[in-house]
Amino acid sequence: MTVLLLSLLLFMIIAAVIALYTEELISAVIAAGAVGFGSSAVFLLLRAPDLAITQIVVEVIALVLLIRTTLHLSGRGVGEGPSGPRVRAAGLFCLAVLVSVLFALPRLPRFGEPVMDRIAAAPSGFYLERGLELTGSANLVTAILLDFRAYDTLGEATIIFTAVLGALTLLSRKCLTSCPAGREEEGER
Amino acid sequence: MMTRSLIVQRISRWLAPFIFIYGLQVILYGHLSPGGGFPGGVILASAFILILISRGKEEAGRRLPLSRAGRFDNTGALVFLAVGLLGFVLGGSFLANFLQRLFPGRPFSLLSSGTIPVNNLAIGLKIWGGIFLAVLFLSVLRVGGDPDRGLKTMEEE
């Protein structure tokens, strides 16, 4: 377990270094994608499947967008190719999702049957029993968000902060060069 | 400059303050009733986004200038981080609820649950500034260089 985790971490570090120092833009994008998939596997090993699913979805979408953008920037373009393999791949994907959902659905807890009823050590029971006493917050959702799991919330706030920062950086540069209304907005800052 | 519907302008002028107050309520009572910093901040921003859509980005920029919105974003993030570090110093671990241990307020009252309302306020301020900035910049940016085209098509419908 530890060996697997360490080798995954080593793989991610090597991929990140390659992404930084490679000459080709497309190799850098693929190496960055490898880092993302590595972290998704790490989440899965650390028994956080929800994070792993989120990570892999974000990673796939970001990778597809980045590869298309890099190919467009380098003027190579994405070949259309025959539609047969694509339709087959889409069908295979839908089949895989269907099969995994069929396996997963019976194992989900039934509606109105909370997890803490089945597993006594589940944290949800602890939150409900001692949340008010420990945090003093009548709203237990807020108690979990800002006390028990405040670190999570700090991460979310950082994500929004970074997203706004990135959007402003990209859009203000675009506005300075192209759109006339952007200039007066920029002048106020 | 194109003309905007008088009805839309009037109604939005009346509506925006109420939306703003509702957002403040959602933030301030986040530890007592459903709500909190994230939804409250988005509601606060939506009051200004309503002004942005109905009365133009110049008016919205006058109500909440870009620089001030940016400062809200920064201040909120820094206050949240400062509370976390204070928890490390006074409470023993990062983001520990040290205020609750020092001054345990009466549960179900407004001044209770320690750092949670403080963090709610910080997050609300941060989301307010951040979401407003993002929407303002997206509304300024238009492919083809006509920043008001989106608003025009909206009115024609």
Side-chain angles (χ1 to χ4, degrees):
Chain A
M1 180 73 182
T2 320
V3 177
L4 199 57
L5 267 180
L6 280 180
S7 53
L8 265 173
L9 281 178
L10 195 68
F11 165 75
M12 281 162 65
I13 291 172
I14 292 173
V17 171
I18 290 175
L20 271 179
Y21 287 103
T22 182
E23 293 286 318
E24 283 265 320
L25 205 54
I26 189 93
S27 335
V29 166
I30 290 170
V35 178
F37 283 113
S39 67
S40 160
V42 167
F43 285 143
L44 202 59
L45 284 178
L46 291 175
R47 305 170 95 187
D50 49 338
L51 282 181
I53 291 171
T54 315
Q55 174 71 26
I56 212 158
V57 167
V58 170
E59 197 55 51
V60 165
I61 293 172
L63 196 62
V64 167
L65 283 178
L66 277 176
I67 285 182
R68 282 210 83 124
T69 316
T70 10
L71 287 180
H72 185 75
L73 276 179
S74 60
R76 263 180 278 182
V78 183
E80 281 300 307
S83 66
R86 273 185 290 165
V87 170
R88 249 173 281 153
L92 206 65
F93 177 76
C94 291
L95 199 70
V97 169
L98 196 70
V99 168
S100 33
V101 164
L102 277 181
F103 270 106
L105 269 185
R107 287 164 168 268
L108 282 180
R110 278 223 309 275
F111 187 72
E113 195 178 88
V115 181
M116 57 193 180
D117 274 2
R118 290 188 306 163
I119 307 162
S124 41
F126 173 79
Y127 291 153
L128 282 181
E129 272 169 20
R130 311 237 3 234
L132 181 63
E133 172 197 338
L134 285 176
T135 69
S137 167
N139 181 359
L140 276 178
V141 177
T142 307
I144 291 170
L145 279 179
L146 286 176
D147 195 307
F148 295 120
R149 298 286 181 98
Y151 205 63
D152 257 6
T153 311
L154 184 67
E156 280 166 25
T158 315
I159 288 174
I160 294 189
F161 188 75
T162 320
V164 170
L165 205 67
L168 294 200
T169 315
L170 288 175
L171 295 182
S172 65
R173 260 182 72 193
K174 171 103 180 163
C175 275
L176 275 176
T177 53
S178 64
C179 63
R183 270 190 213 119
E184 16 175 294
E185 303 275 354
E186 282 297 304
E188 285 172 14
R189 294 178 83 183
Chain B
M1 200 62 206
M2 85 259 185
T3 56
R4 291 192 172 85
S5 155
L6 183 71
I7 296 172
V8 172
Q9 285 196 33
R10 275 282 151 193
I11 298 285
S12 70
R13 177 179 284 185
W14 280 95
L15 217 53
F18 288 106
I19 297 176
F20 189 79
I21 291 176
Y22 175 58
L24 282 183
Q25 193 266 344
V26 167
I27 291 179
L28 288 176
Y29 286 77
H31 54 303
L32 302 176
S33 55
F38 275 99
V42 173
I43 294 169
L44 286 187
S46 75
F48 286 86
I49 292 166
L50 180 68
I51 295 174
L52 173 79
I53 293 173
S54 61
R55 303 176 64 195
K57 61 178 185 306
E58 290 82 12
E59 178 69 25
R62 240 195 319 281
R63 296 287 173 91
L64 182 61
L66 273 178
S67 53
R68 197 183 300 162
R71 269 204 295 280
F72 284 170
D73 201 357
N74 300 339
T75 315
L78 285 179
V79 167
F80 194 7
L81 211 58
V83 168
L85 287 176
L86 272 179
F88 186 65
V89 174
L90 298 171
S93 68
F94 187 57
L95 284 164
N97 198 341
F98 62 95
L99 275 176
Q100 168 69 12
R101 284 174 214 162
L102 295 177
F103 316 103
R106 204 156 43 84
F108 296 97
S109 67
L110 191 59
L111 288 176
S112 67
S113 61
T115 55
I116 292 180
V118 182
N119 283 341
N120 260 337
L121 272 174
I123 294 173
L125 201 65
K126 200 191 116 38
I127 301 295
W128 174 19
I131 297 284
F132 178 72
L133 271 182
V135 173
L136 186 66
F137 264 70
L138 285 173
S139 77
V140 166
L141 182 90
R142 280 280 153 197
V143 183
D146 182 2
D148 280 328
R149 203 178 58 193
L151 298 174
K152 265 182 204 154
T153 48
M154 218 176 210
E155 271 194 353
E156 280 162 8
E157 277 168 2

